[in-house]
Short mmCIF file of all heavy atoms in Angstrom, two decimals:
data_model
loop_
_atom_site.label_atom_id
_atom_site.label_comp_id
_atom_site.label_asym_id
_atom_site.label_seq_id
_atom_site.Cartn_x
_atom_site.Cartn_y
_atom_site.Cartn_z
N ASN U 243 19.86 -25.87 28.63
CA ASN U 243 20.96 -24.88 28.52
C ASN U 243 21.71 -24.77 29.76
O ASN U 243 21.33 -25.34 30.82
CB ASN U 243 20.39 -23.53 28.11
CG ASN U 243 19.75 -23.57 26.77
OD1 ASN U 243 20.31 -23.94 25.78
ND2 ASN U 243 18.49 -23.16 26.72
N GLU U 244 22.81 -24.07 29.76
CA GLU U 244 23.71 -23.87 30.96
C GLU U 244 22.89 -23.31 32.10
O GLU U 244 23.14 -23.65 33.27
CB GLU U 244 24.92 -23.06 30.66
CG GLU U 244 26.02 -23.85 30.05
CD GLU U 244 27.23 -23.01 29.62
OE1 GLU U 244 27.34 -21.88 30.15
OE2 GLU U 244 27.93 -23.52 28.70
N ASP U 245 21.95 -22.41 31.78
CA ASP U 245 21.17 -21.79 32.88
C ASP U 245 20.03 -22.63 33.36
O ASP U 245 19.19 -22.17 34.12
CB ASP U 245 20.73 -20.40 32.42
CG ASP U 245 19.68 -20.47 31.27
OD1 ASP U 245 19.31 -21.63 30.83
OD2 ASP U 245 19.23 -19.39 30.82
N GLY U 246 19.92 -23.86 32.82
CA GLY U 246 18.88 -24.81 33.28
C GLY U 246 17.59 -24.72 32.39
O GLY U 246 16.72 -25.56 32.60
N SER U 247 17.49 -23.75 31.62
CA SER U 247 16.24 -23.56 30.80
C SER U 247 16.29 -24.70 29.65
O SER U 247 17.34 -25.17 29.23
CB SER U 247 16.22 -22.18 30.09
OG SER U 247 17.41 -22.03 29.30
N VAL U 248 15.12 -25.07 29.24
CA VAL U 248 15.00 -26.17 28.27
C VAL U 248 15.44 -25.61 26.88
O VAL U 248 15.19 -24.46 26.52
CB VAL U 248 13.56 -26.64 28.28
CG1 VAL U 248 12.68 -26.03 27.22
CG2 VAL U 248 13.50 -28.13 28.20
N LYS U 249 16.12 -26.43 26.08
CA LYS U 249 16.52 -26.01 24.70
C LYS U 249 15.25 -25.89 23.86
O LYS U 249 14.22 -26.42 24.12
CB LYS U 249 17.55 -26.96 24.18
CG LYS U 249 18.95 -26.87 24.72
CD LYS U 249 19.96 -27.60 23.86
CE LYS U 249 21.28 -27.74 24.47
NZ LYS U 249 22.10 -26.51 24.52
N THR U 250 15.43 -25.09 22.80
CA THR U 250 14.24 -24.86 21.85
C THR U 250 14.66 -25.25 20.43
O THR U 250 15.85 -25.49 20.13
CB THR U 250 13.88 -23.35 21.89
OG1 THR U 250 15.02 -22.57 21.50
CG2 THR U 250 13.41 -22.98 23.31
N ARG U 251 13.66 -25.27 19.59
CA ARG U 251 13.97 -25.47 18.08
C ARG U 251 12.89 -24.69 17.37
O ARG U 251 11.81 -24.31 17.85
CB ARG U 251 13.93 -26.99 17.76
CG ARG U 251 12.59 -27.59 17.92
CD ARG U 251 12.74 -29.16 17.76
NE ARG U 251 11.45 -29.81 18.12
CZ ARG U 251 10.57 -30.27 17.15
NH1 ARG U 251 10.90 -30.03 15.90
NH2 ARG U 251 9.47 -30.77 17.50
N LEU U 252 13.18 -24.44 16.11
CA LEU U 252 12.27 -23.71 15.19
C LEU U 252 11.45 -24.69 14.41
O LEU U 252 11.94 -25.69 13.92
CB LEU U 252 13.08 -22.84 14.20
CG LEU U 252 13.82 -21.65 14.77
CD1 LEU U 252 14.57 -20.95 13.64
CD2 LEU U 252 12.92 -20.67 15.45
N VAL U 253 10.11 -24.42 14.37
CA VAL U 253 9.19 -25.19 13.54
C VAL U 253 8.28 -24.24 12.75
O VAL U 253 8.17 -23.05 13.09
CB VAL U 253 8.28 -26.15 14.34
CG1 VAL U 253 9.15 -27.19 15.13
CG2 VAL U 253 7.47 -25.38 15.34
N GLY U 254 7.74 -24.81 11.69
CA GLY U 254 6.79 -23.97 10.86
C GLY U 254 5.42 -24.11 11.35
O GLY U 254 5.12 -24.56 12.44
N ASP U 255 4.56 -23.56 10.46
CA ASP U 255 3.09 -23.75 10.74
C ASP U 255 2.51 -25.12 10.32
O ASP U 255 1.43 -25.48 10.59
CB ASP U 255 2.27 -22.68 9.97
CG ASP U 255 2.49 -21.27 10.56
OD1 ASP U 255 3.10 -21.19 11.64
OD2 ASP U 255 2.10 -20.30 9.91
N CYS U 256 3.36 -25.85 9.61
CA CYS U 256 3.04 -27.14 9.13
C CYS U 256 3.86 -28.23 9.89
O CYS U 256 5.03 -27.98 10.25
CB CYS U 256 3.31 -27.36 7.66
SG CYS U 256 2.36 -26.13 6.66
N HIS U 257 3.27 -29.29 10.19
CA HIS U 257 3.98 -30.50 10.74
C HIS U 257 4.85 -31.11 9.67
O HIS U 257 4.36 -31.82 8.80
CB HIS U 257 3.04 -31.47 11.40
CG HIS U 257 3.76 -32.57 12.08
ND1 HIS U 257 4.06 -33.76 11.53
CD2 HIS U 257 4.26 -32.63 13.31
CE1 HIS U 257 4.70 -34.49 12.32
NE2 HIS U 257 4.90 -33.86 13.49
#
Side-chain angles (χ1 to χ4, degrees):
N243 296 306
E244 275 174 23
D245 66 0
S247 60
V248 97
K249 284 197 191 284
T250 59
R251 64 191 175 97
L252 291 178
V253 297
D255 290 349
C256 301
H257 183 266

